[in-house]
Amino acid sequence: GQNIDQPTEMTATEGAIVQINCTYQTSGFNGLFWYQQHAGEAPTFLSYNVLDGLEEKGRFSSFLSRSKGYSYLLLKELQMKDSASYLCAVKDSNYQLIWGAGTKLIIKP
Amino acid sequence: ETGVTQTPRHLVMGMTNKKSLKCEQHLGHNAMYWYKQSAKKPLELMFVYNFKEQTENNSVPSRFSPECPNSSHLFLHLHTLQPEDSALYLCASSQEASGAPETQYFGPGTRLLVL
């Protein structure tokens, strides 16, 4: 079966750095997405990785290792508004998105 | 600001009611999706429409009935639902091209409670 694993919940301090991991087992791979979802709101696109390595976009970076079936989302200089759920999703060989359950990130002052 | 809108945002219905959820995308996309999101579970893909044709139906019970009259509008008709159908229903759209994993853009969702 296809599976995406990510931690259920993480806590971090304002101004710090946090890394949210995602491991996947899918039938094929056609890219990995990270989305942010604030409570009661729509998921919004954060990043897309299809090749190995690090993609940096401001305070957020996303890393991919296809050989290890592993990705992480790195958030720097955390702000209170970063409190949200972070969803990892992989497009399989049929270009269907397989979703993780999301990681709820709690930022404390 | 989102290019995908959904109405209503909240809905409470009894098990014998019939209601419809509406989704509209203003992004010129050619694919639209219905997802179910339950607490602490992965997003569950329900239906996919590509160029107004339904291409996916992931074993969804017949009490959920989708309709896609054009590439900008998507409906989810609900009837005789069960309490376990209570969830957040999300609509999304994307511009699908052959062999290209395009980004999906989501609406704010309809929070459904079935009593």
Side-chain angles (χ1 to χ4, degrees), chain A residues 4 8 30-31 33 35 37 40-45 48 50 87 91 95-97 99-102, chain B residues 9 33 35 37 40-43 45 56 58 88 90 96 99-108:
Chain A
I4 309 285
T8 303
N30 280 298
F33 296 80
Y35 281 79
Q37 186 178 23
E41 297 183 12
T44 55
F45 171 74
Y48 169 68
V50 67
L87 311 180
K91 279 228 177 182
Y95 294 96
Q96 179 164 328
L97 264 180
W99 293 86
Chain B
R9 293 293 309 275
Y33 311 79
Y35 284 94
Q37 188 176 36
K40 300 183 179 180
K41 290 186 178 180
L43 283 171
L45 179 64
E56 292 285 341
N58 285 353
L88 181 67
L90 289 164
E96 293 297 310
E102 297 296 334
T103 302
Q104 293 182 14
Y105 294 85
F106 286 84

Side-chain angles (χ1 to χ4, degrees), chain B:
Chain B
E1 180 187 350
T2 177
V4 182
T5 58
Q6 290 186 242
T7 54
R9 293 293 309 275
H10 301 273
L11 179 62
V12 180
M13 58 187 290
M15 289 189 283
T16 58
N17 292 158
K18 290 184 180 181
K19 296 287 184 183
S20 295
L21 310 185
K22 179 183 176 181
C23 175
E24 184 173 359
Q25 59 98 357
H26 313 274
L27 301 170
H29 289 165
N30 59 12
M32 297 186 77
Y33 311 79
W34 278 118
Y35 284 94
K36 177 183 179 182
Q37 188 176 36
S38 303
K40 300 183 179 180
K41 290 186 178 180
L43 283 171
E44 299 174 46
L45 179 64
M46 300 175 71
F47 301 104
V48 180
Y49 278 82
N50 203 318
F51 292 101
K52 301 188 297 176
E53 297 295 322
Q54 184 175 311
T55 57
E56 292 285 341
N57 176 342
N58 285 353
S59 303
V60 179
S62 59
R63 56 186 184 268
F64 295 92
S65 174
E67 179 188 359
C68 187
N70 56 60
S71 59
S72 299
H73 293 85
L74 186 64
F75 295 89
L76 187 64
H77 303 299
L78 316 172
H79 64 98
T80 59
L81 293 192
Q82 304 298 311
E84 59 265 29
D85 297 322
S86 298
L88 181 67
Y89 288 85
L90 289 164
C91 174
S93 72
S94 68
Q95 182 62 28
E96 293 297 310
S98 177
E102 297 296 334
T103 302
Q104 293 182 14
Y105 294 85
F106 286 84
T110 296
R111 175 69 63 184
L112 174 66
L113 177 62
V114 181
L115 300 176

